[in-house]
Amino acid sequence: MKYTEYEAIVIGAGHAGCESALALARTGINTLMLTLNLDSIGYLACNPSIGGTAKGHLVCEIDALGGEMGVNADKTALQIRMLNLGKGPAVHSLRAQADKVEYHTEMKKTLENQKNLTIKQGEVVEILAENGKITGVKTAVGDEFTCKAVCICTGVYLKSNIIIGSFTEPTGPNGFKRANYLTDSLRKLGFEIFRFKTGTPTRIYFNSVDTSKLEPQYGDENIQTFSFMTKKQPKNKALCYLCYTNQKTHKIILDNLDKSPMYNGLITGTGPRYCPSIETKVVRFADKERHQLFLEPESLSTQETYVQGLSTSLPTDIQLEMLNSIEGLEHAKIMRDAYAIEYDCINSLQLLPTLEYKNVKGLFTAGQINGTSGYEEAGAQGLIAGINASLYIRNKPQLVLKRSDAYIGVLIDDLVTKGTHEPYRMMTSRAEYRLHLRQDNADIRLTEIGRQVGLVDDKRYKVFKTKMKNIEKAKQELKITLSPTKELNEYLTSIGEREVNCGVSVENLLKRPKVDIFELKNRFNLFSKYHNDVLNQVQLQVKYDGYIKKQLMEIEEAKKLEDFTIPTNIDYNSILGLRLEARQKLSEIKPLNLGQASRISGVSPADISVLTIYIKSKIKS
């Protein structure tokens, strides 16, 4: 039995584990990362993509705070697109097809070369704690490692089962071994354990697809990247393709529902509401004649192609029959069968907003163990858990991002205040302040915070400060007055805007819906010194000025509740006027402030009024 000292230990090397370990090591903490298999580091076990609706926001925020996911996604992108361009900027979301082989390779290389970080293959079977504080971990081979803080980032590997038809195998994704014993240790520490389920579609040979029958999906050129440090625009190196299920496909599914583990009782875990299996989609949306499927390349080094939208756990023969019923896939051959996976996770209501476990000091959890789904949600939590574990070790105040600070704040607040009884997925509709929390201004919102906690280095901070100076300089050109020239009026007429008959400021022109700052730059020699990211900020701030100001006023109003802290030793059962349900929920969650308390399910506005009066009376006395 070996005893080795570290300051912090990260369990797991998925997207949460990678961000946790890097955050700890980059802030000077001597860190050990333990993983079941070194080949699973940063592995894209499900879809070969990073970002998407709301998820792109998370990746940009991870980057702005000094994390790695955005850097790695830009570096390994096969195709990059901006989703929702037909809608307002609040919901524009970046998505990249990543080369899954390169993504793993580059992330592993980054971790291996990170100062203060040691990576080791090994299965953690027990979390060691004394007197309510973390002391270390124990592995399956009997090694013990002492530490002051632990970040548990185990993904879907806790007692995971792969399910295909009637076949069940105790293993993790893609044949990686599962964690067999850690759940028992978590239970002993007082964690409540849930059983969740997710799944992944088939992978097929790309050369068995008839692409002439499919709709090609192209990437975008010259758009925002995930990382604010990326200088070279990623090139689009591959195509995706769109195809559709049909009535024949749906009949095959409906005729074989009795063989689906989702419907015959073999699967008992709770599945994701917003990323359902194809069986669920066909049953739930019986009026739909077809469902979209996207063929997405996994890597330039393989024929494997991911069939986005065809998640299933039906038997393999039904999977092939279903696949071959789709136009363009009549002769498609399966390389990897689709499967469902069940796994253990914890009740996230047992966590503080710092992602520290309420019952054990120095124990943090992040990612799918907290009940979320998705690489981006995992990476965001991993970063915050790593930051707070580092701050805990350094005896510094913990970081809690508010809902008005970031999508990461919304994500974590939802988990620790409302909890989740199904795999949680981030969506733009979950954020109250979407116009303020755009992905393009993530650096403006969060880089200073990353700097304060020690994660934003000098190079990144210099880039940020230069950008901020340039935005202010570019704004000065808004005051320039343009004369009502023939050239200006021809431009306005061409875009459907009314002509001007006197001088007009650039700012007032930009307030017109169809006037574009980049067109003004090209046609009238304005803003010539500034990069597109600077001009994009100026344009958005001008066009949405009134809406942004209104939202900032709402944030200030809500801040009053967030700043009203609740004493940690408060006895809710002794407060007269609080309803029984409110007493129970408040006692369980122990909110840090009135804002958090007001978002707890079962706590009414009347309860908040009673609680406010009670706390104020105690303060006065």
Short mmCIF file of all heavy atoms in Angstrom, two decimals, residues 402-406 432-437 445 548-563:
data_model
loop_
_atom_site.label_atom_id
_atom_site.label_comp_id
_atom_site.label_asym_id
_atom_site.label_seq_id
_atom_site.Cartn_x
_atom_site.Cartn_y
_atom_site.Cartn_z
N LYS A 402 -23.39 34.06 -10.73
CA LYS A 402 -24.83 34.29 -10.65
C LYS A 402 -25.48 33.99 -12.00
O LYS A 402 -24.82 33.92 -13.03
CB LYS A 402 -25.11 35.73 -10.22
CG LYS A 402 -24.58 36.09 -8.84
CD LYS A 402 -25.06 37.45 -8.40
CE LYS A 402 -24.40 38.56 -9.17
NZ LYS A 402 -22.97 38.69 -8.88
N ARG A 403 -26.80 33.88 -11.98
CA ARG A 403 -27.55 33.64 -13.22
C ARG A 403 -27.38 34.80 -14.20
O ARG A 403 -27.51 34.61 -15.41
CB ARG A 403 -29.04 33.43 -12.90
CG ARG A 403 -29.33 32.22 -12.03
CD ARG A 403 -30.82 32.09 -11.76
NE ARG A 403 -31.55 31.62 -12.93
CZ ARG A 403 -31.78 30.34 -13.22
NH1 ARG A 403 -31.29 29.38 -12.43
NH2 ARG A 403 -32.48 30.00 -14.29
N SER A 404 -27.09 35.96 -13.69
CA SER A 404 -26.89 37.12 -14.55
C SER A 404 -25.44 37.24 -15.02
O SER A 404 -25.13 38.10 -15.84
CB SER A 404 -27.29 38.40 -13.81
OG SER A 404 -26.58 38.52 -12.58
N ASP A 405 -24.56 36.40 -14.52
CA ASP A 405 -23.15 36.44 -14.92
C ASP A 405 -22.88 35.58 -16.15
O ASP A 405 -22.07 35.94 -17.00
CB ASP A 405 -22.24 35.91 -13.79
CG ASP A 405 -22.16 36.85 -12.62
OD1 ASP A 405 -22.31 38.07 -12.83
OD2 ASP A 405 -21.95 36.37 -11.48
N ALA A 406 -23.54 34.41 -16.21
CA ALA A 406 -23.15 33.44 -17.23
C ALA A 406 -24.17 32.31 -17.33
O ALA A 406 -24.91 32.04 -16.38
CB ALA A 406 -21.78 32.83 -16.88
N GLU A 432 -32.76 33.78 -17.99
CA GLU A 432 -33.64 34.94 -17.97
C GLU A 432 -33.04 36.13 -18.71
O GLU A 432 -33.75 37.00 -19.20
CB GLU A 432 -33.91 35.39 -16.52
CG GLU A 432 -34.51 34.32 -15.63
CD GLU A 432 -33.45 33.57 -14.85
OE1 GLU A 432 -32.41 33.20 -15.46
OE2 GLU A 432 -33.64 33.36 -13.64
N TYR A 433 -31.70 36.19 -18.76
CA TYR A 433 -31.02 37.37 -19.29
C TYR A 433 -30.24 37.03 -20.56
O TYR A 433 -29.04 37.29 -20.67
CB TYR A 433 -30.09 37.95 -18.22
CG TYR A 433 -30.78 38.14 -16.88
CD1 TYR A 433 -30.40 37.39 -15.77
CD2 TYR A 433 -31.82 39.05 -16.73
CE1 TYR A 433 -31.03 37.55 -14.55
CE2 TYR A 433 -32.47 39.22 -15.51
CZ TYR A 433 -32.07 38.46 -14.42
OH TYR A 433 -32.70 38.62 -13.21
N ARG A 434 -30.94 36.44 -21.51
CA ARG A 434 -30.28 35.91 -22.72
C ARG A 434 -29.55 36.98 -23.52
O ARG A 434 -28.48 36.73 -24.07
CB ARG A 434 -31.30 35.20 -23.61
CG ARG A 434 -31.80 33.90 -23.07
CD ARG A 434 -32.61 33.14 -24.10
NE ARG A 434 -33.87 33.80 -24.42
CZ ARG A 434 -34.96 33.71 -23.67
NH1 ARG A 434 -34.94 33.02 -22.55
NH2 ARG A 434 -36.07 34.32 -24.03
N LEU A 435 -30.14 38.16 -23.64
CA LEU A 435 -29.52 39.19 -24.46
C LEU A 435 -28.20 39.66 -23.85
O LEU A 435 -27.25 40.01 -24.56
CB LEU A 435 -30.46 40.38 -24.65
CG LEU A 435 -30.00 41.45 -25.65
CD1 LEU A 435 -29.73 40.85 -27.02
CD2 LEU A 435 -31.03 42.57 -25.75
N HIS A 436 -28.13 39.65 -22.54
CA HIS A 436 -26.89 40.00 -21.83
C HIS A 436 -25.87 38.86 -21.90
O HIS A 436 -24.66 39.11 -21.98
CB HIS A 436 -27.23 40.34 -20.38
CG HIS A 436 -26.03 40.60 -19.52
ND1 HIS A 436 -25.11 41.59 -19.79
CD2 HIS A 436 -25.59 39.98 -18.38
CE1 HIS A 436 -24.17 41.57 -18.86
NE2 HIS A 436 -24.43 40.62 -18.00
N LEU A 437 -26.36 37.63 -21.88
CA LEU A 437 -25.47 36.46 -21.82
C LEU A 437 -25.21 35.88 -23.22
O LEU A 437 -25.35 34.68 -23.44
CB LEU A 437 -26.08 35.38 -20.93
CG LEU A 437 -26.42 35.77 -19.49
CD1 LEU A 437 -26.98 34.58 -18.73
CD2 LEU A 437 -25.20 36.34 -18.78
N ARG A 445 -17.73 39.57 -20.17
CA ARG A 445 -18.41 39.24 -18.92
C ARG A 445 -17.51 38.52 -17.91
O ARG A 445 -17.66 38.72 -16.70
CB ARG A 445 -19.64 38.36 -19.19
CG ARG A 445 -20.77 39.06 -19.91
CD ARG A 445 -21.99 38.17 -20.07
NE ARG A 445 -21.87 37.21 -21.16
CZ ARG A 445 -21.77 35.92 -21.05
NH1 ARG A 445 -21.78 35.36 -19.85
NH2 ARG A 445 -21.68 35.13 -22.11
N ILE A 548 -30.73 46.11 -23.97
CA ILE A 548 -29.64 45.76 -23.05
C ILE A 548 -29.76 46.55 -21.76
O ILE A 548 -29.63 46.01 -20.65
CB ILE A 548 -28.27 45.98 -23.71
CG1 ILE A 548 -28.06 44.97 -24.85
CG2 ILE A 548 -27.15 45.84 -22.69
CD1 ILE A 548 -26.83 45.23 -25.70
N LYS A 549 -30.05 47.85 -21.87
CA LYS A 549 -30.19 48.69 -20.67
C LYS A 549 -31.35 48.19 -19.80
O LYS A 549 -31.25 48.16 -18.57
CB LYS A 549 -30.42 50.14 -21.07
CG LYS A 549 -29.16 50.85 -21.55
CD LYS A 549 -29.45 52.28 -21.96
CE LYS A 549 -28.17 52.99 -22.41
NZ LYS A 549 -28.45 54.36 -22.93
N LYS A 550 -32.45 47.81 -20.45
CA LYS A 550 -33.60 47.31 -19.71
C LYS A 550 -33.24 46.03 -18.96
O LYS A 550 -33.60 45.84 -17.79
CB LYS A 550 -34.77 47.04 -20.67
CG LYS A 550 -36.04 46.55 -19.98
CD LYS A 550 -37.15 46.30 -20.99
CE LYS A 550 -38.40 45.76 -20.29
NZ LYS A 550 -39.49 45.46 -21.25
N GLN A 551 -32.48 45.15 -19.63
CA GLN A 551 -32.09 43.89 -19.00
C GLN A 551 -31.13 44.13 -17.84
O GLN A 551 -31.22 43.47 -16.79
CB GLN A 551 -31.47 42.95 -20.02
CG GLN A 551 -31.46 41.50 -19.58
CD GLN A 551 -31.58 40.55 -20.74
OE1 GLN A 551 -30.58 40.06 -21.24
NE2 GLN A 551 -32.80 40.26 -21.17
N LEU A 552 -30.22 45.08 -18.00
CA LEU A 552 -29.29 45.41 -16.92
C LEU A 552 -30.03 45.97 -15.72
O LEU A 552 -29.64 45.72 -14.56
CB LEU A 552 -28.24 46.40 -17.42
CG LEU A 552 -27.23 45.85 -18.43
CD1 LEU A 552 -26.31 46.95 -18.94
CD2 LEU A 552 -26.41 44.71 -17.82
N MET A 553 -31.11 46.73 -15.95
CA MET A 553 -31.93 47.23 -14.85
C MET A 553 -32.60 46.07 -14.12
O MET A 553 -32.69 46.06 -12.88
CB MET A 553 -32.98 48.21 -15.37
CG MET A 553 -32.40 49.55 -15.82
SD MET A 553 -33.63 50.63 -16.64
CE MET A 553 -34.84 50.84 -15.32
N GLU A 554 -33.07 45.07 -14.88
CA GLU A 554 -33.69 43.89 -14.28
C GLU A 554 -32.67 43.12 -13.44
O GLU A 554 -32.99 42.61 -12.36
CB GLU A 554 -34.25 42.99 -15.38
CG GLU A 554 -35.45 43.57 -16.11
CD GLU A 554 -35.84 42.75 -17.34
OE1 GLU A 554 -35.12 41.78 -17.66
OE2 GLU A 554 -36.85 43.10 -17.99
N ILE A 555 -31.44 43.05 -13.95
CA ILE A 555 -30.38 42.36 -13.23
C ILE A 555 -30.08 43.07 -11.91
O ILE A 555 -29.90 42.44 -10.86
CB ILE A 555 -29.11 42.27 -14.10
CG1 ILE A 555 -29.34 41.28 -15.26
CG2 ILE A 555 -27.90 41.83 -13.28
CD1 ILE A 555 -28.25 41.29 -16.31
N GLU A 556 -30.04 44.41 -11.95
CA GLU A 556 -29.78 45.19 -10.74
C GLU A 556 -30.88 44.98 -9.70
O GLU A 556 -30.62 44.89 -8.50
CB GLU A 556 -29.65 46.67 -11.08
CG GLU A 556 -28.30 47.07 -11.62
CD GLU A 556 -27.16 46.75 -10.66
OE1 GLU A 556 -27.25 47.15 -9.48
OE2 GLU A 556 -26.18 46.09 -11.08
N GLU A 557 -32.11 44.89 -10.19
CA GLU A 557 -33.24 44.67 -9.28
C GLU A 557 -33.14 43.29 -8.63
O GLU A 557 -33.35 43.14 -7.42
CB GLU A 557 -34.56 44.80 -10.06
CG GLU A 557 -35.80 44.86 -9.19
CD GLU A 557 -35.85 46.07 -8.27
OE1 GLU A 557 -35.30 47.13 -8.64
OE2 GLU A 557 -36.43 45.94 -7.18
N ALA A 558 -32.82 42.29 -9.45
CA ALA A 558 -32.69 40.92 -8.93
C ALA A 558 -31.50 40.80 -7.98
O ALA A 558 -31.51 39.98 -7.05
CB ALA A 558 -32.52 39.94 -10.08
N LYS A 559 -30.49 41.63 -8.19
CA LYS A 559 -29.27 41.59 -7.37
C LYS A 559 -29.57 41.88 -5.90
O LYS A 559 -28.87 41.40 -5.00
CB LYS A 559 -28.26 42.60 -7.92
CG LYS A 559 -26.85 42.47 -7.38
CD LYS A 559 -25.91 43.38 -8.16
CE LYS A 559 -24.48 43.26 -7.63
NZ LYS A 559 -24.31 43.89 -6.32
N LYS A 560 -30.64 42.64 -5.65
CA LYS A 560 -31.00 42.95 -4.26
C LYS A 560 -31.29 41.68 -3.48
O LYS A 560 -30.92 41.55 -2.31
CB LYS A 560 -32.21 43.89 -4.24
CG LYS A 560 -31.94 45.26 -4.85
CD LYS A 560 -33.20 46.10 -4.90
CE LYS A 560 -32.96 47.44 -5.60
NZ LYS A 560 -34.23 48.23 -5.72
N LEU A 561 -31.99 40.75 -4.15
CA LEU A 561 -32.29 39.47 -3.50
C LEU A 561 -31.04 38.61 -3.39
O LEU A 561 -30.83 37.93 -2.38
CB LEU A 561 -33.37 38.71 -4.28
CG LEU A 561 -34.80 39.23 -4.18
CD1 LEU A 561 -35.73 38.40 -5.06
CD2 LEU A 561 -35.29 39.19 -2.74
N GLU A 562 -30.19 38.65 -4.43
CA GLU A 562 -28.96 37.84 -4.41
C GLU A 562 -28.01 38.32 -3.32
O GLU A 562 -27.26 37.52 -2.74
CB GLU A 562 -28.27 37.89 -5.77
CG GLU A 562 -29.10 37.40 -6.94
CD GLU A 562 -29.50 35.94 -6.85
OE1 GLU A 562 -28.70 35.14 -6.30
OE2 GLU A 562 -30.60 35.60 -7.31
N ASP A 563 -28.02 39.63 -3.05
CA ASP A 563 -27.11 40.19 -2.05
C ASP A 563 -27.64 40.05 -0.63
O ASP A 563 -26.91 40.34 0.34
CB ASP A 563 -26.86 41.67 -2.35
CG ASP A 563 -26.02 41.86 -3.62
OD1 ASP A 563 -25.36 40.89 -4.05
OD2 ASP A 563 -26.04 42.98 -4.18
#
